[in-house]
Amino acid sequence: MNRDTGAMTKITKAFEIQKAISDDIVHGRRAPGTSLDETMLARAFAVSRTPIREAIRQLEMTGLVEARPHRGAVVCDVPPERLDDMFAVMRELEALCARLAASAMTTEERAGLRALHDASAALVKSQNRDAYVAANDAFHDAIYDASRNGFLAETTRQVRLRLSPFRRAQFEGRGRMANSFDEHERIVAAFESADAAAAEAEMRVHLGEVRESVDEIDRGEAAENLKPRRPRAAKP
Amino acid sequence: MNRDTGAMTKITKAFEIQKAISDDIVHGRRAPGTSLDETMLARAFAVSRTPIREAIRQLEMTGLVEARPHRGAVVCDVPPERLDDMFAVMRELEALCARLAASAMTTEERAGLRALHDASAALVKSQNRDAYVAANDAFHDAIYDASRNGFLAETTRQVRLRLSPFRRAQFEGRGRMANSFDEHERIVAAFESADAAAAEAEMRVHLGEVRESVDEIDRGEAAENLKPRRPRAAKP
DNA sequence: GATGATTTGTACGTATGTATA
DNA sequence: ATATACATACGTACAAATCAT
């Protein structure tokens, strides 16, 4: 009884709540800057404030939430310069994953990644954004795991998590999905030639050009391009 | 009133306790595997169990502590393969810092790093380990900051923190301090020529050879080299 | 700038789950 | 296998700090 999947997901309320709030933040249901009122959350989850507080302490350490003593917690609102920093680290971590994965991948993994990628072609064609987002995550996750460095995979996933509230506009640009797909193709090709340098380079391109494509969106949708830099969303 | 240094260090008991326990772990006063008994800690810190529990939740997220529901928390005991993974990520993060720093450093920073490095020569000569450890940390910290990527600096520091319980034997090998100093010299030289590629490469060497030098220690001090791989400490 | 309302921080008691005999 | 002991998870009450007024 209470037999759960694999790692025996923690059965404490604090942990469940932490997961739920984290999920809300990651999926944009709690926007950056939003405050997390303990009493309201306690009512919402039908528990006392104690597990809520513990959940908030956990979220604090993940970087999704910032809490100042006696002043409550808010969903982290990351300033643009810091977003740039985070995306830069993300790009390097993913490039590292790609480099290691290119060397370490088994034949099965290579085939699996190719299958994953080929399958996503249909999603591009049908312009199914949500499904492509999921496929994209799966694609990148597979590469993290193929790096054969569990800590690297975790670290990269963690950074991706922290960035996700700011990548809402992921594939909203015209042709952005198709571009992403083409870049993935080049990455898969690099893996298939076991070319670590190419895999790393293509991954870097994939995550570097993201920024620009998003800037394009910003420019297109808001022509008031007066401010030196605007907060923007982005994506791998 | 209650005006504190800079970032207004949090004045809550939970946070103070979290800092204290974290410090204990990092400095080896609480060994990996040690359990963190809430009641005992509450007595030790002369508080109720509530702030203790919140501190543990925070420590959990930093990766220094692992807590299983209803079964208490223990200081993370990291298996050797995972340590390898963590050191590999550490090396790459520091290499990235070095690469960025080489390009971004101001003249003042370059001079500052040189001064820091030159000053540590005396510590090597006098074989003052504790002082050299501190100087070494300052040296690396300066490079993180010079990368001009605050998130990268934080991330790298965080990984260093998580590794620190396992780097106790940092400079205990014969001549290890001198080796480290020489490697630092090559790094500083690369910065002075603003050679990003060299800085990155030298940093990688610096953190790569660490592993081997520690393996040497292990071999030297424990000749029973029967197990395929032994848990070991290491260092940048 | 002081005061009251509101929210967070801490203490303590109880319940529930885990480990040991 | 059952029961007992024990540590943790949660709920409630109170204290302290922040912010509105």
Side-chain angles (χ1 to χ4, degrees):
Chain A
M1 55 290 296
N2 207 330
R3 175 160 298 277
D4 212 301
T5 54
M8 169 77 122
T9 46
K10 297 202 184 162
I11 34 56
T12 115
K13 300 191 180 183
F15 185 75
E16 292 297 329
I17 290 162
Q18 183 266 334
K19 262 198 320 185
I21 297 178
S22 172
D23 211 61
D24 281 354
I25 297 172
V26 164
H27 290 85
R29 290 189 294 273
R30 292 181 189 276
T34 305
S35 71
L36 299 173
D37 185 280
E38 294 180 3
T39 310
M40 277 172 46
L41 288 170
R43 267 203 298 268
F45 286 98
V47 298
S48 84
R49 277 178 50 226
T50 308
I52 299 287
R53 286 180 57 79
E54 296 198 354
I56 289 177
R57 290 301 156 270
Q58 290 176 279
L59 288 165
E60 209 180 334
M61 293 290 120
T62 66
L64 287 173
V65 157
E66 185 179 354
R68 289 150 317 172
H70 299 284
R71 299 185 61 189
V74 300
V75 179
C76 271
D77 197 358
V78 178
E81 313 80 38
R82 189 171 175 84
L83 261 188
D84 286 335
D85 286 357
M86 293 177 72
F87 275 107
V89 170
M90 184 72 190
R91 180 172 59 237
E92 294 301 323
L93 287 173
E94 294 236 23
L96 175 58
C97 287
R99 187 175 88 216
L100 297 179
S103 311
M105 263 186 169
T106 64
T107 310
E108 289 76 27
E109 281 173 326
R110 252 178 268 274
L113 195 71
R114 163 58 72 187
L116 220 56
H117 173 61
D118 288 349
S120 67
L123 307 175
V124 177
K125 196 163 291 179
S126 63
Q127 290 288 306
N128 187 339
R129 283 212 178 82
D130 289 346
Y132 188 79
V133 168
N136 179 65
D137 280 2
F139 182 84
H140 285 270
D141 272 327
I143 295 172
Y144 306 162
D145 290 334
S147 75
R148 291 279 186 283
N149 185 322
F151 182 73
L152 174 61
E154 281 175 31
T155 303
T156 309
R157 263 188 272 269
Q158 172 72 10
V159 176
R160 186 174 72 184
L161 196 79
R162 290 179 65 169
L163 278 171
S164 50
F166 307 95
R167 298 187 323 184
R168 311 263 73 236
Q170 272 197 283
F171 297 110
E172 289 186 6
R174 295 168 311 288
R176 182 61 200 132
M177 268 170 62
N179 286 346
S180 167
F181 180 80
D182 291 344
E183 290 157 12
H184 282 196
E185 171 59 37
R186 299 178 66 86
I187 293 168
V188 172
F191 284 138
E192 286 173 338
S193 355
D195 185 339
E200 177 179 359
E202 293 297 347
M203 183 61 86
R204 223 184 284 267
V205 167
H206 180 44
L207 274 80
E209 292 186 336
V210 161
R211 223 65 223 295
E212 295 163 28
S213 82
V214 172
D215 283 347
E216 278 172 29
I217 295 171
D218 279 356
R219 262 182 247 118
E221 296 187 1
E224 80 282 326
N225 226 16
L226 308 168
K227 300 173 190 170
R229 311 217 99 200
R230 301 183 40 89
R232 63 290 230 185
K235 100 83 248 160
Chain B
M1 55 292 295
N2 206 332
R3 178 160 296 279
D4 211 302
T5 54
M8 169 81 118
T9 47
K10 296 204 186 161
I11 34 55
T12 118
K13 299 192 181 183
F15 185 75
E16 292 297 329
I17 290 163
Q18 183 265 335
K19 263 198 322 184
I21 297 179
S22 172
D23 211 61
D24 281 354
I25 296 173
V26 164
H27 289 86
R29 291 189 294 273
R30 293 182 189 274
T34 305
S35 71
L36 299 173
D37 185 280
E38 292 180 4
T39 311
M40 279 171 44
L41 287 170
R43 267 203 297 268
F45 285 98
V47 297
S48 83
R49 281 179 45 227
T50 309
I52 300 287
R53 286 180 58 79
E54 296 199 353
I56 288 176
R57 288 302 156 272
Q58 290 178 280
L59 288 165
E60 207 181 337
M61 293 290 118
T62 66
L64 288 173
V65 158
E66 185 180 354
R68 290 150 315 173
H70 298 286
R71 297 183 59 185
V74 299
V75 179
C76 271
D77 198 357
V78 179
E81 312 80 39
R82 188 170 175 84
L83 261 188
D84 287 335
D85 286 356
M86 294 177 72
F87 275 106
V89 171
M90 183 72 189
R91 180 171 61 237
E92 294 301 324
L93 287 173
E94 293 236 23
L96 175 58
C97 287
R99 186 175 88 215
L100 298 179
S103 311
M105 263 186 170
T106 65
T107 311
E108 290 74 28
E109 280 172 326
R110 251 178 266 276
L113 195 70
R114 164 57 75 187
L116 220 56
H117 174 61
D118 287 350
S120 67
L123 306 175
V124 177
K125 196 163 289 179
S126 63
Q127 290 288 305
N128 186 340
R129 281 209 182 83
D130 290 346
Y132 188 77
V133 168
N136 179 65
D137 280 2
F139 182 84
H140 286 269
D141 273 327
I143 296 171
Y144 305 163
D145 290 334
S147 75
R148 291 278 185 283
N149 184 323
F151 182 73
L152 174 61
E154 279 174 34
T155 303
T156 310
R157 264 188 271 271
Q158 173 72 9
V159 176
R160 187 174 72 185
L161 196 79
R162 290 179 66 168
L163 278 171
S164 50
F166 307 95
R167 298 187 323 183
R168 312 262 73 238
Q170 273 198 282
F171 298 110
E172 288 184 7
R174 295 166 312 288
R176 182 62 200 131
M177 268 170 62
N179 285 348
S180 167
F181 180 81
D182 291 345
E183 290 158 13
H184 282 195
E185 170 58 39
R186 299 177 66 87
I187 293 167
V188 172
F191 283 138
E192 286 173 337
S193 350
D195 186 339
E200 177 178 1
E202 293 296 347
M203 183 60 87
R204 223 183 283 268
V205 167
H206 179 43
L207 274 79
E209 291 186 338
V210 160
R211 224 61 223 296
E212 296 165 26
S213 82
V214 171
D215 283 346
E216 280 173 26
I217 294 172
D218 279 355
R219 265 183 245 117
E221 296 186 2
E224 81 282 328
N225 226 17
L226 308 170
K227 300 172 191 170
R229 311 216 99 200
R230 300 180 42 87
R232 63 289 230 186
K235 100 85 251 152

